[in-house]
């Protein structure tokens, strides 16, 4: 009995500190310092939430920029199932998937003979990457401009205005958020 009382007291104290005080404190600091991120980095368009700037979306219409393929299941860009495919470069399933993605890109833009950037045919490690490289965006300029009846220079300038630089100037590579770019495209007047 002499051991039970201090044990229960420590149990309830730690439950209070770790289960109530700490989560409220961390959430409060997060909301004060990083309000957008704590709320999921949601993107609103015309008063409606259309996605998150942190989670990729599938765009299949040729008038939109396409993002990286998703390896999540059972549906693409499923944030609840973030994962890569774990398929090695010699895996026949990966090879077949890449070939199918190359064929899809050629089918919607048969005149484009430029090399296809790797991020348009391979999934990221999380399967949720919301961004593509500048090369991947530029590969799609002619198709998007043609489908929207825009001058390619307008579409190119849109990419440049949405380009994100590497963190701290050297971590990562220049990239563009596909959702932000496609929303900006929808705002353009022909």
């Amino acid at each position: 009995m002499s051991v039970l009382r201090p044990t229960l007291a420590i149990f309830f104290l730690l439950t209070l500190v770790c289960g109530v005080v700490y989560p409220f404190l961390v959430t409060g600091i997060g909301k004060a310092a990083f309000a957008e991120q704590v709320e999921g980095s949601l993107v609103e368009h015309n008063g409606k939430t259309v996605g998150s700037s942190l989670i990729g979306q599938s765009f299949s219409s040729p008038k939109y920029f396409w993002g990286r393929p998703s390896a999540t299941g059972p549906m693409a860009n499923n944030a609840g199932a973030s994962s890569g495919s774990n398929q090695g470069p010699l895996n026949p399933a990966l090879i077949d998937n890449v070939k199918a993605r190359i064929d899809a890109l050629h089918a919607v833009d048969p005149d484009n003979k430029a090399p296809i950037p790797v991020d348009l045919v391979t999934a990221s490690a999380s399967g949720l990457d919301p961004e593509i490289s500048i090369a991947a965006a530029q590969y799609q300029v002619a198709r998007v401009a043609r489908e929207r009846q825009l001058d390619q220079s307008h579409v190119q300038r849109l990419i440049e205005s949405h380009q994100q630089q590497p963190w701290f100037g050297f971590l990562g590579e220049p990239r563009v958020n596909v959702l932000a770019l496609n929303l900006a495209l929808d705002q353009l007047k022909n």
Side-chain angles (χ1 to χ4, degrees), residues 14 37 58 66 93 102 114 116 126 129 145 158 184 186 188:
L14 287 175
Q37 291 88 341
S58 296
W66 294 357
I102 290 170
I116 298 173
S126 69
D129 199 345
L158 198 62
D186 285 343
L188 287 179

Side-chain angles (χ1 to χ4, degrees), residues 62-153:
K63 71 178 189 172
Y64 287 108
F65 285 92
W66 294 357
R68 288 192 80 161
S70 175
T72 64
M75 60 189 172
N77 298 300
N78 178 2
S82 173
S83 66
S85 67
N86 291 332
Q87 296 171 337
L90 300 178
N91 186 311
L94 177 65
I95 294 169
D96 291 343
N97 286 338
V98 169
K99 284 180 183 177
R101 293 168 186 152
I102 290 170
D103 291 344
L105 287 165
H106 284 152
V108 296
D109 197 5
D111 296 332
N112 192 343
K113 304 299 182 204
I116 298 173
V118 70
D119 53 327
L120 285 179
V121 295
T122 58
S124 67
S126 69
L128 301 172
D129 199 345
E131 301 162 337
I132 55 174
S133 66
I134 300 304
Q138 290 174 340
Y139 177 84
Q140 302 177 72
V141 166
R143 181 196 79 226
V144 171
R146 182 182 65 246
E147 291 292 326
R148 290 182 174 264
Q149 299 172 353
L150 294 169
D151 187 68
Q152 288 187 26
S153 63

Side-chain angles (χ1 to χ4, degrees), residues 1-118:
M1 211 37 146
S2 63
V3 176
L4 186 60
R5 177 179 260 179
T7 303
L8 287 176
I10 290 173
F11 172 75
F12 286 116
L13 178 66
L14 287 175
T15 299
L16 180 67
V17 170
C18 296
V20 178
V21 174
Y22 178 75
F24 277 110
L25 181 66
V26 170
T27 302
I29 291 170
K31 284 189 176 193
F34 306 103
E36 182 184 342
Q37 291 88 341
V38 168
E39 297 298 327
S41 300
L42 299 177
V43 176
E44 290 192 11
H45 182 66
N46 295 332
K48 180 181 174 190
T49 302
V50 295
S52 169
S53 64
L54 302 176
I55 298 174
Q57 293 187 12
S58 296
F59 291 93
S60 57
S61 171
K63 71 178 189 172
Y64 287 108
F65 285 92
W66 294 357
R68 288 192 80 161
S70 175
T72 64
M75 60 189 172
N77 298 300
N78 178 2
S82 173
S83 66
S85 67
N86 291 332
Q87 296 171 337
L90 300 178
N91 186 311
L94 177 65
I95 294 169
D96 291 343
N97 286 338
V98 169
K99 284 180 183 177
R101 293 168 186 152
I102 290 170
D103 291 344
L105 287 165
H106 284 152
V108 296
D109 197 5
D111 296 332
N112 192 343
K113 304 299 182 204
I116 298 173
V118 70

